Every structure is written in C-alpha cells, then in structure tokens.
Amino acid sequence: MRTQVAIVGAGPSGLLLSQILAKHGVESVIVENRSQDYVLARIRAGVIEHGAVDVLTDYGVGERLHREGMRHDGVYLQWPGERRRIDFVESCGHSVWVYGQTEITKDLIATREADGQQIFWSVSDTAIVGADTDSPRVTFVDADGNAQSIEADYVAGCDGFHGVSRPTIPESVRSVRERIYPYAWLGILAEVAPSTDELIYALHPDGFAMHSMRSESVSRLYLQVEPDDDIANWSDDRIWDGLSTRMALDGWSLQSGPTLEKSITPMRSFVSAPLRWGRLFLAGDASHIVPPTGAKGLNLAIADVKRLGSALAAKYADGSDELLDRYSDDALERVWQSTHFSWWMTSMLHMPPPADPDRDFLLQMQLTQLKHVTTSKAAATMLAENYTGSVLPYP
Ligand SMILES: Cc1cc2nc3c(=O)[nH]c(=O)nc-3n(C[C@H](O)[C@H](O)[C@H](O)COP(=O)(O)OP(=O)(O)OC[C@H]3O[C@@H](n4cnc5c(N)ncnc54)[C@H](O)[C@@H]3O)c2cc1C
C-alpha cells in the first residue's frame, strides 16, 4: 500500500488529522489497534476550548457540537463554606463548550467513513520503519491476521501515551520532562441531570471533588483518591457520600443517580521533545500528557493536529518545508503553556498526601490562592484566558 500520510492511532488526534488532510486534498491511511466499537465507547474528556470548537467547525465536524453541546461562560471554584464564580466572558471575552470526547469521536468516525477514509481497525504489532529516511513505512498485522505495510511520505504518530510512535524516536534524541502526582482521580459517569449549570471545582480537607456534565441528563463527577487505590474499594454509596461531603454548600444539594461507568486515572505531567524525528511527527498524547484538572489534553491534541495538518497541506500545495520545520517548536509553546496551567490548577485544588509534613501550610496557601483568583480581576483573567485557551491563538 502507498499513501501520502500514514496515521498511527484513531483517537481524536488521528481522526481529526485525517479529516484536515482530506479537506486539503491530502491522502491518508489510519491504523488503530483497538476495535471501532471500543474506540466509540471510550469515556474521556469533555471541555472544549473555543479555538478547538472553531477548528472542528471549520473542518466540517462541528454541526452536532453546536446543536447538542453546552456553552459555558464561567466556572465555580469552591472551598469549605464558599463557592465563587469566575465569569470567562467578562474576564477575557471567550467561553468553553461541554461536549464529550466520545461524541467528537463518533462525529469524526461518521464523517471519515462517509468520505471513504481507509481505517484499519483491530491491528496488532504496529511498527514504524525508516522514519529517519525518505521512505518511511508503517507495518502491522491486520484484523484477519495478514501482514501489511504502508509506504508513506510522512508518518503521524497519533497513538497516545502507550503507543509505538514516541519510542520509535531514539532516546538519545528525546528529552522527557515529567511529574507524577501523589494522587489520582476517581471518575464516574452517572445517569442524572447535573446539579449545577457550570462546572464546580472544589477543594476540601478530604480531597478534591469536581462536578462536570456531558448532557442535560448525564453528569460526570470526580473525586481525588490515593494513586494506588482500587476501584473495588469504592461502592456507589461511598462515592456519592464523598462527593456530597466535599461539595457541600448551604442551600445546595447534589442529586445522585445510577452509575454508568467508573474508573481511576493516575495523574501526571509529561512532555517528550522534540515532536519530530525525520519524517515522523508526534501529535496529542503521544508526546504530552497533562493532569485533567485544566481540561487541556483533548484541546492540545486538536491544536497539534491543526498545526500539523496545515503544515503538511502547505508542503503538498507549494513544496514549502517551513511549517513542517517549525512544527515541533511552535507546538511545544502551547504544550508548555497548558502544562503550566494544568499543574497550577492541580496544585491549587488537590490536598497533599496525609504524610506530607507541610500539608497544613500548603492548605493555607491553596485557600489564599483560591480567594485571590476569585477576587482579583487580574488573577481571574489569568485563569479565564488559560481555561478557555485564549492565552495563545490557535494555529
Ligand atoms: C481516563 C482518561 C480521562 C481523561 N479525561 C480528560 C478530561 O477530563 N479532560 C481532558 O482535556 N483530557 C482528558 N483526558 C485526556 C484526553 O482524553 C486525551 O488528551 C486525548 O484522548 C488525546 O487524544 P489522542 O488522539 O492524542 O490520544 P488517544 O485518545 O489516546 O488515542 C490514541 C489512539 O491510538 C491507539 N493506539 C495506541 N497504540 C497503538 C498502536 N500501537 N497501533 C495503533 N494504534 C494504537 C489507541 O487505541 C487510541 O485509539 C483523559 C484521558 C484519559 C485516559
């Protein structure tokens, strides 16, 4: 097989990249090691920056988002006895959209399939060969057990944190910066109308809690837990009790409902640079991970592939290498901005582990920070600009 761009991974990065390339008349083939059903059912992010909404809209996959998504003009920050709102529109003139990553994935797969996009689902043994030569290849075993090879001009590594693309780049070329946090998020998806009109981020001595939503009848909620905790330790009753305690406020109550999904996710900040090696380009979680507190993972993936798609389109349109050569440096600027914001939000809102001797001191610092960010116009604007993604323009 031969194509212009071989894409490894059919998550949001890989699917959106193929959509962008197709709109510019560039051919691609996608290989994905999970089944289509598995990819369609995966529950993950849900807060979309306004710039990411524009990208999805511009490339023809924003119609349902605009119809069914929820525009949020602010966010609540809470600590015991106090819940305050930051108004994004007043602070920086922008909003975010709440629309599940699962829905974006559905929209992308439907559009790509309608377009005749070649996607190999359920492959195994994916490998990228000759990325530092002029004739890179992606090899794999297809769902029927046949060995396959795709020759391409370029390879896009969109295969997430555990994929094969990043390790294809020799360690001598890569630098990794990483922080592993001493806590994790227990997340549930629940069949119950949200008890709030906008997201609530709450700091409590028992740990962080968050109320998000996916639709008018489905809520997404999170609790800070120990990094090695087991989901089997958390009955539904224990989860709802923890959420109610940590988000308690006079005159407000949390509605509970049947739990559709629950899981524990470790939290880390991770950046591997550069994002290019020869003809291999990394995008999304393949090269960087942020803790979910800042709602940045999916948005960074969308920004990366917009940048990469435009650079590849320019190369095919006029032969120019300029944008491809700048891809890694330019993308890393947004990556570090989002990494900083996600780290800052995480540090402000999560209780240090019980064994931390500075726990009481740090809690006072967190409360002071929360009060400052919800009273100072300048501090609120800093949060709003970062949260809505307007601190840096989209590529
Ligand atoms: C449990 C969880 C919760 C999250 N919650 C949030 C949130 O609330 N907010 C937020 O902003 N972000 C969140 N994120 C992060 C966000 O979902 C990711 O940033 C986003 O999915 C990145 O998209 P991606 O396409 O780069 O990677 P992925 O979505 O990981 O997609 C990579 C794809 O590559 C495939 N693949 C892997 N290895 C191979 C291989 N060898 N061969 C072929 N295919 C391969 C995978 O199966 C997958 O389909 C969460 C992530 C997780 C894991």
Side-chain angles (χ1 to χ4, degrees), residues 205-267:
D206 290 356
F208 169 76
M210 181 178 167
H211 191 329
S212 181
M213 61 283 291
R214 288 295 177 267
S215 70
E216 282 171 10
S217 57
V218 176
S219 298
R220 182 92 166 124
L221 299 114
Y222 300 96
L223 280 176
Q224 175 185 348
V225 297
E226 302 280 315
D228 53 358
D229 210 336
D230 187 339
I231 195 71
N233 296 331
W234 288 86
S235 66
D236 287 3
D237 285 348
R238 185 178 174 208
I239 293 172
W240 286 108
D241 283 350
L243 289 165
S244 297
T245 303
R246 297 184 194 187
M247 284 191 278
L249 193 72
D250 279 351
W252 180 85
S253 60
L254 177 66
Q255 302 304 311
S256 60
T259 302
L260 304 172
E261 194 255 2
K262 58 179 174 181
S263 58
I264 291 181
T265 312
M267 295 175 74

Side-chain angles (χ1 to χ4, degrees), residues 135-197:
S135 47
R137 277 180 301 135
V138 174
T139 62
F140 60 97
V141 175
D142 70 19
D144 298 323
N146 303 311
Q148 300 275 7
S149 176
I150 306 172
E151 287 175 19
D153 299 332
Y154 298 98
V155 176
C158 300
D159 48 353
F161 187 65
H162 300 289
V164 295
S165 300
R166 189 179 66 256
T168 300
I169 303 178
E171 278 186 22
S172 57
V173 178
R174 276 191 285 142
S175 70
V176 170
R177 274 105 181 181
E178 183 171 27
R179 175 169 169 77
I180 298 187
Y181 296 87
Y183 27 76
W185 271 20
L186 187 163
I188 63 165
L189 195 68
E191 201 169 2
V192 59
S195 306
T196 175
D197 57 338

Side-chain angles (χ1 to χ4, degrees), residues 1 45 64 71 98 108 112 124 132-133 162 164 196 219 257 276 285 315 326 346 390:
M1 250 176 300
R64 200 161 65 93
R71 201 188 80 199
V98 174
L108 281 165
R112 296 314 307 127
S124 53
D132 57 339
T133 71
H162 300 289
V164 295
T196 175
S219 298
R276 176 186 189 174
D285 280 15
K315 172 70 182 172
R326 284 176 28 196
T346 302
S390 48

Side-chain angles (χ1 to χ4, degrees), residues 7-15 31-34 38-39 42-47 101 121 123-127 157-165 185 210 214 220 222 263-265 283-286 288-301:
I7 300 175
V8 184
S13 300
L15 291 165
V31 298
E32 162 62 51
N33 65 355
R34 299 287 193 171
Y38 181 95
V39 170
R42 213 161 31 192
I43 311 287
R44 286 185 173 177
V47 177
Q101 177 170 331
W121 299 102
V123 309
S124 53
D125 299 335
T126 315
C158 300
D159 48 353
F161 187 65
H162 300 289
V164 295
S165 300
W185 271 20
M210 181 178 167
R214 288 295 177 267
R220 182 92 166 124
Y222 300 96
S263 58
I264 291 181
T265 312
D285 280 15
H288 42 77
I289 296 282
V290 285
T293 329
K296 289 286 163 261
L298 174 60
N299 293 297
L300 273 181

Side-chain angles (χ1 to χ4, degrees), residues 52-125:
V53 171
D54 290 347
V55 173
L56 295 169
T57 308
D58 291 349
Y59 285 95
V61 280
E63 191 268 328
R64 200 161 65 93
L65 187 160
H66 284 281
R67 200 159 23 93
E68 296 177 17
M70 295 172 277
R71 201 188 80 199
H72 281 198
D73 293 341
V75 71
Y76 297 105
L77 297 182
Q78 175 172 339
W79 55 96
E82 192 79 36
R83 181 178 296 168
R84 294 192 192 163
R85 179 170 184 269
I86 291 185
D87 190 312
F88 296 151
V89 179
E90 205 175 86
S91 303
C92 73
H94 292 291
S95 307
V96 293
W97 287 76
V98 174
Y99 186 67
Q101 177 170 331
T102 315
E103 305 311 314
I104 292 180
T105 306
K106 272 184 207 159
D107 297 343
L108 281 165
I109 290 178
T111 309
R112 296 314 307 127
E113 286 197 333
D115 221 14
Q117 173 72 42
Q118 191 161 22
I119 307 180
F120 287 90
W121 299 102
S122 306
V123 309
S124 53
D125 299 335

